[in-house]
Amino acid sequence: MRAARLIKMVLLLQSRPSMTAAELARELEVSERTVTRDAQALAEAGVPVYADRGRAGGYRLVGGYRTRLTGLGRSEAEALFLSGVPGALREMGLEDAASAARLKVSAALMPSLSDASHAAAQRFHLDAPGWFTEPKTPELLPAVADAVWDDRRMVARYRRADSDVERELEPYGLVLKAGVWYLCARVAADPDSYRVYRIDRFTVVEPGAERFVRDPDFDLPAFWEERAEQFARSILRAEVVVRLSANGARRLPYAVDPVAAREALDAAGEPDPDDDGWVTVTLPVESEEVAHSQLAGLGPDVEVLTPESLRARFTSDALRLTALYHRP
């Protein structure tokens, strides 16, 4: 534990011109007295740590000393590629590895590039969850992440409908979509079966001792894009026919599934000039209830033609609004 702390102290001093005892204590999560003892131990071991006295003093390395302890380990190198998503790293249990990797890189950089990490952090930040949501980190995410990084088979039990199902999985990759974590995995008993699981539905995760051999042709981004499109299409089980004004056609992709909206508008052709530019489209939707909620946002720029039951809902809405706004 102390050896790791001493190495980190050297790397900190190597990446900055000078640091006070208070700054070192905060970074190392120890007391200032411990910092003093550690600096003395480094000096006795031959590391040229020098202490400047006075109000503006601090610790620094003398004579351009550079440690050779800057080689990145595998987990640190992998975490470094995700260092722009600190929330995701923290949830997967990789925050310490990423911190060590960034520190080693900073220590290895030329002095003229010492502010590179700060400059990057001030120019890019990823906030993955959607608005008006409070995402919860799945309790079993770190265990799943360990199995993914280590190419280790795992036994997972997860909730499906009213029952629990148990599978032995080969965990290929993690996806964070709108604040929700998913696992892309291959079922061990069926090498051709790749599936997607919501990690917050796992109730038990038991990493095994056996590692699996990855399919070299598996492409995680391409697989996710394909499955996400399949999922979006699979839930659009109903159809409605609507008329849209020019403004309604423009706003439709923002009210319903954007891919379905654009395909419906493309299939409808050009607006009818004899109908004030309105266009009739056949739109796939999840259900009548969902369509009612989504299309209501278009207000008077949409008219439902079929099904009759959905048209009746909007007729009822219109009558209630008329009565409401006609009151003195």
Side-chain angles (χ1 to χ4, degrees):
M1 181 69 177
R2 191 189 185 199
R5 190 175 71 242
L6 292 175
I7 292 172
K8 186 173 183 179
M9 183 174 180
V10 173
L11 293 172
L12 284 168
L13 294 174
Q14 186 172 306
S15 63
R16 307 178 193 181
S18 177
M19 295 185 70
T20 65
E23 290 172 336
L24 284 168
R26 185 167 56 251
E27 290 282 355
L28 299 172
E29 298 181 350
V30 295
S31 66
E32 293 186 30
R33 181 172 297 181
T34 299
V35 168
T36 301
R37 288 198 297 264
D38 286 351
Q40 183 177 353
L42 288 171
E44 292 174 354
V47 178
V49 178
Y50 179 78
D52 289 319
R53 305 295 180 184
R55 181 174 299 177
Y59 291 93
R60 60 185 176 87
L61 294 175
V62 180
Y65 177 85
R66 311 290 293 179
T67 178
R68 297 182 182 274
L69 299 172
T70 53
L72 290 176
R74 171 171 291 274
S75 64
E76 295 168 344
E78 291 170 338
L80 186 61
F81 287 102
L82 294 171
S83 59
V85 284
L89 285 168
R90 182 172 57 253
E91 293 177 7
M92 287 188 291
L94 293 172
E95 187 175 29
D96 290 342
S99 176
R102 287 193 296 268
L103 188 57
K104 288 184 178 181
V105 170
S106 297
L109 290 175
M110 296 167 45
S112 60
L113 299 176
S114 60
D115 66 337
S117 61
H118 176 75
Q122 294 305 311
R123 286 163 174 79
F124 175 76
H125 175 70
L126 176 64
D127 185 9
W131 289 103
F132 314 116
T133 60
E134 188 174 342
K136 295 182 179 179
T137 304
E139 183 179 348
L140 297 174
L141 176 60
V144 175
D146 285 344
V148 170
W149 297 124
D150 208 23
D151 292 341
R152 192 176 297 277
R153 286 186 176 183
M154 52 178 262
V155 175
R157 187 176 298 121
Y158 63 96
R159 296 186 300 274
R160 188 174 68 179
D162 297 327
S163 62
D164 280 6
V165 179
E166 186 172 286
R167 292 276 189 275
E168 184 179 16
L169 303 175
E170 295 177 352
Y172 266 68
L174 296 167
V175 175
L176 177 60
K177 171 71 171 179
V180 179
W181 284 95
Y182 296 89
L183 172 68
C184 301
R186 181 167 63 179
V187 179
D190 184 1
D192 296 324
S193 179
Y194 290 90
R195 302 181 184 179
V196 177
Y197 301 87
R198 276 187 61 145
I199 296 179
D200 58 6
R201 292 180 181 168
F202 285 159
T203 57
V204 176
V205 171
E206 297 177 354
E210 182 182 355
R211 287 186 170 87
F212 66 92
V213 178
R214 284 177 169 265
D215 180 353
D217 295 327
F218 181 81
D219 184 330
L220 179 61
F223 171 79
W224 175 259
E225 182 178 1
E226 177 186 352
R227 289 304 172 91
E229 183 176 347
Q230 289 177 0
F231 172 75
R233 292 181 179 276
S234 69
I235 63 174
L236 303 179
R237 302 186 181 93
E239 279 189 349
V240 299
V241 179
V242 299
R243 288 175 67 246
L244 296 160
S245 68
N247 188 46
R250 180 183 60 80
R251 294 166 53 200
L252 184 64
Y254 302 98
V256 301
D257 178 79
V259 175
R262 293 189 183 96
E263 290 181 352
L265 290 169
D266 289 343
E270 295 297 321
D272 186 353
D274 297 328
D275 192 21
D276 294 329
W278 284 60
V279 61
T280 300
V281 302
T282 301
L283 182 69
V285 294
E286 184 175 346
S287 66
E288 183 176 312
E289 290 75 12
V290 172
H292 178 235
S293 174
Q294 293 174 331
L295 294 174
L298 298 180
D301 289 310
V302 61
E303 177 190 2
V304 174
L305 302 180
T306 62
E308 187 59 38
S309 56
L310 181 58
R311 183 178 175 87
R313 287 175 183 251
F314 278 91
T315 301
S316 174
D317 290 345
L319 292 173
R320 290 168 60 197
L321 284 170
T322 300
L324 180 65
Y325 284 96
H326 275 191
R327 290 189 306 179

